[in-house]
């Protein structure tokens, strides 16, 4: 059994989801017999590091990030530092989402330290997080992508009217989102130029680049991909896709993470030929971006034709997340998934 440090929290807008992911990861790793040290990265950039490896995780306040941080500090003897103390771990299991936790920054930091970590490496993390660059790779590999445009904050401040006019050329409705965001945080369905102008102001208060994509009406599906070691061989498999019927207008933050926020049907109610196509395209995206360990790609089926929306390199691992649902439908225990992620991390040094 390994000594595993779990990174979770972070300064991104997905902090609260990362806390739930981190707790799920810690609970699962503990059930597997590993020694676990949960390391909370606070919103203001401090690291809260327990002095020892513990088996007890404070789940009680998991849905309240501010209370969770306080409970976490009370529960353990904590070293709090803006600089991460020396790690005595065999590897780091990443439970971070968005921002520097998913864009390759933390991955590069751990690589410099020579500490193995789960999930994709630096380059794949950075490219997948940048939605515009990822779309260009998807297009290059033959995937269907909805028409899109990118606008920088610098361009917007220089000429807001011109930027609004450019984005309006995509037509309405359209989806406006941060280039490097995730979990549909700050994703807006835009219906007219006025709404577009208001949403740009809101997004640029936190982000430096936005991307907007033309609206596509169809069936939303999401498909996880796992890398596995079996019988001495490395395999990449696609999980059963999930059909997503959002409770709101689209699969937004609340639909993803609030109980009852959406109707998630696994396996998806789509014809077998479409299921296989989505699985093949999810593996194609995983490989084209250079993902490692696992990923999850989102698609929309328009008259049966899949359009890829994005690929997540550190997909959510909460009680309502899609990868656990899909693994269960495939008859794969999460302990098996985690064992593969750990083995792959330790094999790359």
């Amino acid at each position: 059994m390994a000594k595993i440090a779990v990174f979770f929290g972070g300064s991104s807008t997905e902090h609260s989801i990362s806390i739930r992911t981190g707790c799920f990861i810690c609970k699962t790793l503990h059930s597997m017999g590993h020694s676990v040290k949960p390391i909370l990265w606070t919103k203001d950039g401090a690291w809260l590091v327990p002095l020892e490896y513990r088996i007890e995780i404070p789940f009680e306040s998991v849905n309240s990030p501010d209370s969770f941080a306080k409970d976490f500090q009370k529960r353990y003897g904590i070293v709090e530092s803006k600089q991460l103390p020396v790690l005595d771990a065999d590897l780091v299991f990443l439970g971070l989402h968005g921002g520097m936790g998913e864009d390759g920054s933390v991955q590069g930091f751990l690589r410099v330290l020579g500490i193995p970590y789960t999930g994709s490496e630096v380059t794949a993390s950075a490219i997948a997080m940048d939605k515009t660059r990822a779309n260009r790779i998807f297009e290059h590999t033959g995937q269907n992508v909805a028409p899109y445009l990118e606008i920088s904050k610098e361009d917007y401040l220089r000429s807001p009217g011109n930027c609004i006019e450019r984005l309006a050329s995509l037509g309405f409705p359209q989806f406006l989102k941060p280039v490097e965001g995730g979990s549909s945080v700050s994703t807006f369905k835009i219906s007219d130029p006025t709404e577009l102008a208001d949403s740009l102001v809101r997004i640029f208060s936190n982000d430096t680049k936005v991307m907007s994509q033309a609206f596509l009406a169809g069936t939303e599906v999401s498909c996880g991909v796992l890398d596995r070691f079996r019988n001495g061989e490395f395999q990449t498999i696609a999980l059963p896709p999930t059909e997503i019927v959002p409770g709101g207008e689209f699969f937004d933050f609340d639909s993803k993470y609030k109980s009852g926020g959406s109707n998630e049907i696994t396996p998806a109610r789509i014809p077998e030929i479409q299921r296989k196509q989505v699985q093949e395209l999810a593996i194609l995206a995983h490989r084209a971006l250079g993902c490692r360990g696992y990923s999850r790609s989102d698609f929309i089926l328009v008259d049966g034709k899949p359009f890829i929306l994005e690929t997540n390199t550190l997909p959510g691992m909460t009680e309502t997340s899609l990868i656990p649902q899909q693994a269960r439908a495939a008859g794969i225990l999460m302990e098996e998934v985690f064992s593969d992620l750990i083995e792959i991390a330790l094999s790359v040094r």
Side-chain angles (χ1 to χ4, degrees), residues 3 103 122 129 152 320 329:
K3 294 172 70 175
D103 68 1
V122 177
M129 193 67 177
S152 70
T320 60

Side-chain angles (χ1 to χ4, degrees), residues 10-11 25 34-35 101 105 136 148 184 191 226 241 248 252 266 288 315 321 333:
S11 57
I25 290 171
H34 294 291
S35 297
S105 299
R136 290 172 183 165
Y148 63 94
S184 298
S191 301
L226 303 178
D252 60 4
T266 309
S321 293
L333 299 175

Side-chain angles (χ1 to χ4, degrees), residues 64-321:
S64 176
D66 293 335
S67 297
F68 182 91
K70 293 176 183 177
D71 291 348
F72 189 81
Q73 289 179 288
K74 290 178 182 178
R75 185 75 61 97
Y76 300 138
I78 291 288
V79 173
E80 180 175 354
S81 175
K82 286 289 185 178
Q83 295 182 336
L84 185 65
V86 175
L87 294 175
D88 59 341
D90 296 317
L91 78 152
V92 170
F93 203 116
L94 292 176
L96 299 166
H97 303 308
M100 291 186 290
E102 196 171 352
D103 68 1
S105 299
V106 167
Q107 290 80 359
F109 170 67
L110 292 172
R111 183 177 178 181
V112 169
L113 294 180
I115 300 174
Y117 55 89
T118 58
S120 294
E121 297 188 75
V122 177
T123 302
S125 300
I127 294 174
M129 193 67 177
D130 188 317
K131 295 179 177 62
T132 304
R133 277 74 195 165
N135 271 356
R136 290 172 183 165
I137 289 177
F138 296 150
E139 290 177 304
H140 182 72
T141 55
Q143 298 232 37
N144 300 308
V145 175
Y148 63 94
L149 288 170
E150 177 183 295
I151 297 291
S152 70
K153 184 175 183 178
E154 182 180 3
D155 287 341
Y156 175 75
L157 292 176
R158 186 183 300 116
S159 180
N162 181 58
C163 290
I164 292 171
E165 185 177 342
R166 283 184 60 203
L167 292 177
S169 69
L170 291 171
F172 296 100
Q174 59 181 260
F175 284 102
L176 186 72
K177 49 193 170 184
V179 166
E180 297 185 346
S183 288
S184 298
V185 176
S186 298
T187 296
F188 302 98
K189 185 177 181 181
I190 307 298
S191 301
D192 56 56
T194 300
E195 195 174 351
L196 178 59
D198 293 341
S199 297
L200 284 170
V201 171
R202 293 174 63 182
I203 292 181
F204 281 135
S205 66
N206 294 307
D207 296 275
T208 59
K209 290 186 293 186
V210 300
M211 185 184 79
S212 202
Q213 282 190 288
F215 171 75
L216 296 176
T219 302
E220 295 181 58
V221 295
S222 186
C223 186
V225 172
L226 303 178
D227 291 329
R228 315 192 79 194
F229 280 121
R230 289 296 177 270
N231 301 319
E233 294 185 359
F234 183 83
Q235 304 171 350
T236 299
I237 67 167
L239 296 171
T242 297
E243 178 185 352
I244 299 158
V245 183
E249 287 190 287
F250 65 101
F251 195 42
D252 60 4
F253 183 88
D254 288 345
S255 295
K256 286 183 178 181
Y257 296 111
K258 287 190 177 181
S259 179
S262 64
N263 188 16
E264 298 162 1
I265 303 163
T266 309
R269 301 171 300 179
I270 57 178
E272 180 70 6
I273 188 171
Q274 291 179 20
R275 179 190 64 78
K276 289 182 178 179
Q277 189 176 15
V278 165
Q279 289 178 310
E280 290 171 358
L281 293 174
I283 291 176
L284 176 62
H286 181 88
R287 289 174 171 165
L289 294 172
C291 297
R292 186 186 77 180
Y294 62 156
S295 68
R296 198 198 73 232
S297 291
D298 301 332
F299 299 85
I300 187 161
L301 300 175
V302 181
D303 296 327
K305 183 178 181 179
F307 286 75
I308 190 165
L309 301 175
E310 64 181 11
T311 296
N312 300 272
T313 56
L314 286 178
M317 286 288 178
T318 74
E319 65 278 3
T320 60
S321 293

